Amino acid sequence: MTFDAIRGGALGRELAGGGGLDALSKDAFGDTARRAGGGAEAPTGVSFGDLLGRLVENADQAQRTSDDMVQALAKGEPADAHQVMMAMTEADLAFRTLLEVRNRIIDAYQEIQRMQV
Amino acid sequence: MDSPSPMQSFRVLDIASSGLAAERKRLEVVAANIANANTLRTPEGGPYRRREVLFEAYLDQAARHGDALPLVRVDGVQPDMSELRRVHMPGHPDADAEGYVAMPNVDLMFEMVDLMASMRSYEANLKSVRAFRSMVDAALQIGRAS
């Protein structure tokens, strides 16, 4: 996409005729600006720490269930193959979600550390 | 029934799992029908009657709110009470007074179709699981700074 095409298109028309960047930001970003400015309401009472704790518990529970099922299958008890695989899938997904959350938290922390005072 | 998944957002796995279990039961019933297609003596007396599996939708204990989607389970295995075909075989040890033997009402063609339908259902349920897995994988990629 060349600059000519951009200038010729809607963006170009806005910038040239409609009063410059102010008009553009009002139309395209006005809503977002309003929301960001006015928005920060109080949280509903569930802290992030609670959420994280629950995630860890869920992942742990799923992992334990999966281990039990694998053991049962190995011992020859009546456990369906698909039940075992389902338990393993759940444990895997729960753990990967937890891992991803943990990575984001660390990234955010490092971003804050990098801030110049 | 296996225990429900701890995370409500994984309900897809519970639902698909119930489907897999139900289809496996249906396959068992089909296998029993095929194996007993020529069985003339049963514990309850008389020739083997084809069994039919009945599914029902139900809400498990994890379904807390009103619009939760139901799982499936096997409501029972019932014998098919339709008329048995009678074949004239006077010398047969199980023939009745008129020399007729009642044969099981198992049609192998029908059972094979049921078997294939059950397999396709099973695969479709597996597909649900795979699709859900892809969704979670994709979601975990959101905003990844790589």
Side-chain angles (χ1 to χ4, degrees), chain B residues 1-131:
Chain B
M1 270 306 136
D2 41 346
S3 52
S5 48
M7 302 178 73
Q8 266 307 89
S9 48
F10 286 175
R11 188 158 168 78
V12 177
L13 295 184
D14 289 335
I15 294 176
S17 186
S18 74
L20 292 173
E23 288 305 327
R24 202 191 48 77
K25 186 71 182 181
R26 179 151 89 147
L27 184 64
E28 264 183 37
V29 171
V30 168
N33 287 342
I34 291 177
N36 286 299
N38 298 310
T39 303
L40 296 173
R41 301 175 187 180
T42 55
E44 59 267 15
Y48 178 80
R49 277 187 175 281
R50 174 178 176 271
R51 296 292 197 276
E52 188 92 46
V53 67
L54 302 169
F55 290 168
E56 79 166 341
Y58 80 106
L59 292 169
D60 64 343
Q61 66 264 37
R64 266 171 234 116
H65 43 96
D67 61 343
L69 295 164
L71 279 59
V72 69
R73 71 172 162 205
V74 174
D75 192 20
V77 178
Q78 300 284 350
D80 180 350
M81 299 309 288
S82 58
E83 191 87 22
L84 295 179
R85 187 171 54 101
R86 298 171 80 219
V87 178
H88 186 68
M89 287 196 281
H92 198 279
D94 291 321
D96 60 8
E98 294 146 26
Y100 281 96
V101 179
M103 300 298 282
N105 54 352
V106 173
D107 181 359
L108 277 182
M109 294 299 135
F110 197 84
E111 300 305 321
M112 292 308 287
V113 168
D114 242 0
L115 190 138
M116 290 196 292
S118 174
M119 246 180 60
R120 292 277 170 257
S121 266
Y122 196 86
E123 282 165 21
N125 276 299
L126 284 180
K127 198 100 202 213
S128 302
V129 176
R130 255 179 257 133

Side-chain angles (χ1 to χ4, degrees), chain A residues 69-113:
Chain A
M69 299 219 97
V70 171
Q71 268 192 17
L73 189 65
K75 279 192 249 175
E77 283 164 29
D80 285 330
H82 74 258
Q83 278 181 5
V84 177
M85 297 314 288
M86 282 299 207
M88 284 171 60
T89 304
E90 272 180 38
D92 180 45
L93 290 176
F95 179 72
R96 279 202 283 137
T97 307
L98 179 63
L99 188 68
E100 205 58 41
V101 169
R102 168 249 180 211
N103 287 346
R104 298 306 160 76
I105 291 174
I106 291 186
D107 285 347
Y109 177 71
Q110 286 175 342
E111 187 80 37
I112 293 174
Q113 288 287 78

